[in-house]
Amino acid sequence: MKMWSGRFRQPLDPEFEAWQRSFGFDRRLLNYELQASAAHAKALKNAGILSASELIAILQGLEKIGNDASSDERHAVAQDAAAEDIHHFVEKQLAECIGDVAYKLHSGRSRNEQIATDLRLFIRAAIDHLQSNLAELCFAFVYGAEQAGAAAMPAYTHLQPAEPVLVGHWLLAYVEMFLRDADRLADCRKRLNLCPLGSGAVAGATLPLDRIFMAEELAFTAPTANSIDATSDRDFAVEFVNALSLLALHLSRWAEEMIIFSSLEFGFLQLPESYSTGSSAMPQKKNPDLLELVRGKCGRVIGNATALIITMKGLPLAYNKDLQETQQPLFDAADTVMAMLPLIAGFMKAVEFDYARMQDAASAGFMNAWAAATCLVKKNIPSRQAHELIGKAVKLCIEKNCELGDLPLDELRELSPAFDQDFYECLKPQSVLAIHDVPGGTAPARVRQGIASAKKKIEALREELHAHA
Ligand code: ARG
């Protein structure tokens, strides 16, 4: 049975009919549609619209549809050519299963509130899944930081060697980004966790349905506050996909760094063979495909965020069919990021860093220059002057093709009598690392603190997930 044919004199143009359907993509919402329908059915019973036996028939029918779909891959969920959307599909299946009483289920509700509810439930579940993947990913990076121990590497600004840092410090930078991503998703989850059921098509349900009851049934914190907003709002999807864009952007920056560091010229790491491919033409090649695809997919996620927000722009309140177009970018963004996270965690566990080579790179290229200037500052030389003196010393080194530590003391003293034997101590890699002895700095003890605090944050994230499960 069609959902709306009563007032029509002509059938739909078949091409249009096929083109406007959303069942091809919204069928993945089946479980949420079933849960929301069960909550609505119970509210109908409480409102005296369904008898106890009708409610039981409907609930059993809904359960059967869910079981059939999960037990049989070739079930109608994948095949039903006549279903307009997931809401129509469930109604049809229910009627097939329990007869005409199925048509009572739609009493007092609209597909506009249904799709808004299903999408909130979908995103809520997706967030929980992503959070658990993010915890694993953070853990893989923290593990890498622990493994790296005392190994140092260059930190870059403008992609020019700037100062040495511990490899652990560099890896923890990504953990911070991912933890912010997790926090943004948690925040998005808080705001979306309200129940649109009972909002009707736009002006509210036509029956006295208990909205608080339905919200509780679906583990929402409360009903949404305004029926017009609830049926037209997709902020939660926009927020979610934008949070994913930022996460994908972090992954893309990481991928870019790893690609650079894996090049022969840097040689900071060996690409794991299990995550690389060869060239069909050049026998010697091992290509960073995982990293390049991560970088590439970031563009796709950002594209989805853009598609979503542009679809919303200019829509009058409340429901418009344009809103159907928000689903595919949402699903694609969620799928794309969900598939990447475990792969990246696996890649991180498999990648081999060449600590010796990183350490060598950190020991050359005047990366101790700022520490050297600081050494003079501690001897009461004004910092601008200290900067100038070390700049001159670097110029000398460039002429002689050596490092600061290779300059003899008498040559340094020609620049300033402030130079002393202990200056050479300041130039050693351990001393340079140790001077950043503030919270968030790269001194080894600070990095150890960073590791410990990251572990605590990951644990807190896991506990929060546990509470939602
Ligand atoms: N398939 C529709 C969507 O995704 C469901 C809501 C339809 N509502 C309507 N008034 N035609 O937006």
Side-chain angles (χ1 to χ4, degrees):
M1 192 169 172
K2 267 204 159 359
M3 289 181 290
W4 41 259
S5 58
R7 64 94 75 208
F8 283 78
R9 284 170 300 175
Q10 284 183 356
L12 284 185
D13 171 88
E15 250 177 69
F16 167 68
E17 201 281 328
W19 175 81
Q20 57 89 42
R21 285 196 282 128
S22 54
F23 187 57
F25 47 86
D26 67 15
R27 62 179 183 226
R28 66 187 293 166
L29 296 172
L30 177 70
N31 280 336
Y32 309 115
E33 176 70 8
L34 294 173
Q35 288 167 28
S37 293
H40 177 73
K42 290 177 194 170
L44 282 178
K45 153 78 179 45
N46 294 343
I49 303 296
L50 293 179
S51 69
S53 60
E54 287 172 332
L55 174 64
I56 290 172
I58 287 178
L59 293 180
Q60 285 175 346
L62 292 172
E63 198 180 329
K64 182 171 183 313
I65 298 171
N67 289 341
D68 287 355
S70 51
S71 66
D72 182 358
E73 282 293 306
R74 286 162 300 134
H75 182 268
V77 184
Q79 306 213 327
D80 191 333
E84 184 176 317
D85 56 23
I86 186 65
H87 322 292
H88 187 208
F89 171 79
V90 169
E91 185 171 282
K92 270 163 30 69
Q93 291 292 310
L94 196 61
E96 228 169 78
C97 179
I98 64 171
D100 277 358
V101 68
Y103 296 120
K104 287 197 168 185
L105 176 60
H106 206 57
S107 313
R109 75 171 178 177
S110 156
R111 284 184 292 161
N112 299 353
E113 62 181 298
Q114 284 175 262
I115 187 63
T117 306
D118 293 357
L119 290 176
R120 282 173 191 252
L121 291 172
F122 169 83
I123 296 178
R124 193 175 71 182
I127 287 177
D128 291 348
H129 190 103
L130 283 160
Q131 298 272 47
S132 126
N133 284 342
L134 270 175
E136 288 313 306
L137 185 66
C138 287
F139 193 78
F141 276 72
V142 170
Y143 177 77
E146 267 179 324
Q147 291 295 301
M153 67 184 284
Y156 301 85
T157 63
H158 314 269
L159 203 53
Q160 304 292 330
E163 292 181 272
V165 290
L166 287 189
V167 174
H169 195 55
W170 167 63
L171 290 172
L172 287 177
Y174 284 103
V175 176
E176 284 307 305
M177 295 177 222
F178 302 145
L179 287 171
R180 282 199 297 277
D181 292 320
D183 205 38
R184 252 184 297 275
L185 289 171
D187 192 48
C188 170
R189 190 190 196 281
K190 246 182 261 162
R191 238 182 323 278
L192 71 71
N193 205 18
L194 299 173
C195 184
L197 289 189
S199 297
V202 57
T206 53
L207 295 167
L209 302 176
D210 184 346
R211 298 197 62 215
I212 295 177
F213 166 80
M214 291 193 285
E216 279 170 0
E217 280 289 295
L218 295 168
F220 284 116
T221 44
T224 48
N226 178 292
S227 66
I228 303 176
D229 178 48
T231 48
S232 67
D233 172 34
R234 293 294 182 273
D235 288 6
F236 57 90
V238 174
E239 276 188 45
F240 173 63
V241 178
N242 275 287
L244 292 185
S245 298
L246 208 38
L247 167 51
L249 182 149
H250 295 149
L251 297 175
S252 178
R253 292 184 76 176
W254 165 79
E256 172 65 7
E257 285 212 299
M258 295 291 278
I259 290 168
I260 294 173
F261 291 164
S262 72
S263 64
L264 183 68
E265 291 72 11
F266 273 80
F268 287 179
L269 58 98
Q270 282 296 326
L271 292 170
E273 289 191 5
S274 45
Y275 292 93
S276 309
T277 65
S279 156
S280 59
M282 296 165 279
Q284 83 282 12
K285 294 283 292 267
K286 183 168 69 165
N287 293 328
D289 289 42
L290 176 133
L291 300 168
E292 290 169 316
L293 282 173
V294 167
R295 195 176 54 188
K297 282 177 195 289
C298 173
R300 178 166 160 180
V301 178
I302 292 171
N304 284 323
T306 309
L308 238 164
I309 204 158
I310 295 199
T311 303
M312 300 301 297
K313 175 190 167 298
L315 290 189
L317 302 182
Y319 180 83
N320 299 268
K321 189 82 172 217
D322 314 43
L323 289 179
Q324 188 168 285
E325 289 298 307
T326 61
Q327 290 188 37
Q328 282 165 301
L330 162 66
F331 296 150
D332 189 61
D335 292 343
T336 302
V337 175
M338 257 183 223
M340 281 196 286
L341 296 180
L343 285 170
I344 295 172
F347 179 98
M348 276 309 280
K349 282 179 205 147
V351 74
E352 274 174 47
F353 290 107
D354 188 337
Y355 297 127
R357 182 139 176 154
M358 292 169 116
Q359 186 81 41
D360 280 354
S363 317
F366 312 114
M367 270 179 281
N368 47 8
W370 195 12
T374 305
C375 188
L376 298 181
V377 166
K378 284 183 183 158
K379 289 181 185 278
N380 219 12
I381 311 261
S383 105
R384 191 49 57 223
Q385 213 176 317
H387 185 286
E388 186 68 19
L389 282 171
I390 300 298
K392 282 185 177 148
V394 167
K395 189 161 79 184
L396 263 178
C397 290
I398 293 170
E399 282 160 17
K400 301 171 70 146
N401 193 20
C402 68
E403 289 288 324
L404 285 171
D406 301 325
L407 289 178
L409 188 55
D410 50 346
E411 279 185 43
L412 286 170
R413 291 181 72 89
E414 274 171 34
L415 296 173
S416 160
F419 284 105
D420 227 331
Q421 194 56 42
D422 58 5
F423 178 70
Y424 293 98
E425 203 50 44
C426 300
L427 299 177
K428 289 188 177 156
Q430 305 91 303
S431 318
V432 179
L433 288 167
I435 60 170
H436 298 279
D437 193 11
V438 290
T442 197
R446 298 298 183 173
V447 175
R448 280 195 296 278
Q449 274 174 6
I451 290 175
S453 108
K455 279 183 175 171
K456 273 197 199 134
K457 291 179 198 163
I458 298 171
E459 215 32 66
L461 178 59
R462 285 184 174 145
E463 272 167 30
E464 192 184 311
L465 280 171
H466 213 67
H468 291 154

